[in-house]
Amino acid sequence: MRGRLVAGNWKSNGNLASNQRLLEQVRGEASRLRGVECAVCVPYPYLSQTQQMLTGTAAVWGGQDVSQFGAGAFTGAVTAAMLVEFGCRYAIVGHSERRNVFGESDAVVAAKFAAAMTAGLTPILCVGETLQERETGVTEQVVGRQLDAVISGAGIAALGKAVVAYEPVWAIGTGKTATPEQAQAVHGFIRNRIAVSDVAVAAALRILYGGSVKAANAAQLFGKPDIDGGLIGGASLVAEEFTAICRAAERR
Ligand code: PGA
């Protein structure tokens, strides 16, 4: 049976004092969870604090992005090796804010995925359609294209060591969650598409849902057969919300 994962994506939020309070609660909750891995993806400057507070606990952590390059003259870029040095297990790649605000193409996302993988990080590959794409009926084409860009670069076996997060752009930070049925439909599509290349990889792949997940809607989403956890933005900044979402991911 696939393990569950709930990952917080703090985005550009937090400070040393508020992080300390949040991480104390997260590490306490993580040790009580059964069959759910609990991760936080924090801003780069807070990786050191996170490493100090979570090392030796059941909680794990990651970066929210990673450079597609290695060490060298790439001002502002943080390499996968640096994330590894600060104890990261995960790196989010291809978040819609990276794609849409920072202009990352499918090719850049594929290169970041490969760089993370090569360094031994587990990429959390985000895919998802905009509202306009959903309304024009091209959701599967868009998600398929985003997946194919990574598979054709890194290979299907690499996907077996990664996590995919389906995040409809229209549901991120808007309070408009996809219904469990809408999310399941796309999760099923993703798993089937991967099964065409490799049935075992598809069966083992953790596919997270992201987009306005809250304690109040988490259990219904996680009750769907192809939803293996969540990537949580706003609600991951509120300890009680985030820990309740983690508990909702436990199998009953
Ligand atoms: P949200 O963000 O939970 O605030 O909608 C999710 C994400 O962007 O990963």
Side-chain angles (χ1 to χ4, degrees), residues 7 9 11 92 95-97 126 167 171-175 210-213 231-236:
N9 172 11
K11 309 192 180 185
I92 299 172
H95 189 278
S96 64
E97 287 148 19
C126 298
E167 297 207 312
I172 295 177
T174 58
S212 299
V213 179
L231 183 56
I232 318 300
S236 74

Side-chain angles (χ1 to χ4, degrees), residues 58-81:
V60 298
W61 60 98
Q64 298 171 12
D65 184 26
V66 65
S67 173
Q68 66 271 50
F69 304 115
F74 303 104
T75 301
V78 171
T79 68

Side-chain angles (χ1 to χ4, degrees), residues 27 47-59 61 86-87:
R27 71 184 176 192
L47 281 173
S48 173
Q49 179 190 27
T50 302
Q51 183 178 33
Q52 280 173 37
M53 289 194 63
L54 298 188
T55 295
T57 76
W61 60 98
F86 281 90

Side-chain angles (χ1 to χ4, degrees), residues 16-252:
L16 290 170
S18 67
N19 300 346
Q20 164 114 15
R21 290 191 294 273
L22 186 52
L23 290 169
E24 274 167 8
Q25 306 243 24
V26 166
R27 71 184 176 192
E29 185 64 36
S31 66
R32 293 187 285 271
L33 292 169
R34 296 276 167 270
V36 182
E37 189 180 32
C38 171
V40 287
C41 296
V42 307
Y44 296 139
Y46 301 132
L47 281 173
S48 173
Q49 179 190 27
T50 302
Q51 183 178 33
Q52 280 173 37
M53 289 194 63
L54 298 188
T55 295
T57 76
V60 298
W61 60 98
Q64 298 171 12
D65 184 26
V66 65
S67 173
Q68 66 271 50
F69 304 115
F74 303 104
T75 301
V78 171
T79 68
M82 293 173 190
L83 295 183
V84 169
E85 204 171 19
F86 281 90
C88 289
R89 177 171 299 177
Y90 293 103
I92 299 172
V93 297
H95 189 278
S96 64
E97 287 148 19
R98 300 299 315 174
R99 293 179 191 265
N100 300 331
V101 181
F102 295 91
E104 290 183 9
S105 64
D106 286 340
V108 166
V109 173
K112 290 186 168 192
F113 181 98
M117 197 68 117
T118 304
L121 294 166
T122 300
I124 300 176
L125 170 66
C126 298
V127 297
E129 81 289 1
T130 63
L131 183 59
Q132 198 200 359
E133 287 163 343
R134 173 160 284 263
E135 285 175 347
T136 50
V138 295
T139 296
E140 294 189 353
Q141 268 154 271
V142 170
V143 170
R145 189 201 72 223
Q146 292 169 336
L147 283 175
D148 288 352
V150 168
I151 295 170
S152 67
I156 193 72
L159 212 66
K161 298 193 206 113
V163 173
V164 171
Y166 169 58
E167 297 207 312
V169 179
W170 49 272
I172 295 177
T174 58
K176 276 192 212 155
T177 323
T179 64
E181 292 70 30
Q182 283 173 321
Q184 168 57 32
V186 182
H187 283 234
F189 164 77
I190 292 170
R191 203 177 301 285
N192 289 337
R193 184 157 184 124
I194 292 163
V196 171
S197 304
D198 193 315
V199 173
V201 165
L205 181 70
R206 288 177 295 175
I207 308 176
L208 312 183
Y209 169 78
S212 299
V213 179
K214 304 182 267 295
N217 58 24
Q220 274 186 305
L221 288 158
F222 301 157
K224 291 293 177 191
D226 289 301
I227 302 183
D228 305 307
L231 183 56
I232 318 300
S236 74
L237 300 169
V238 183
E240 303 71 45
E241 276 285 309
F242 185 62
T243 53
I245 293 167
C246 290
R247 284 193 296 278
E250 291 184 308
R251 290 187 195 275
R252 272 151 251 270

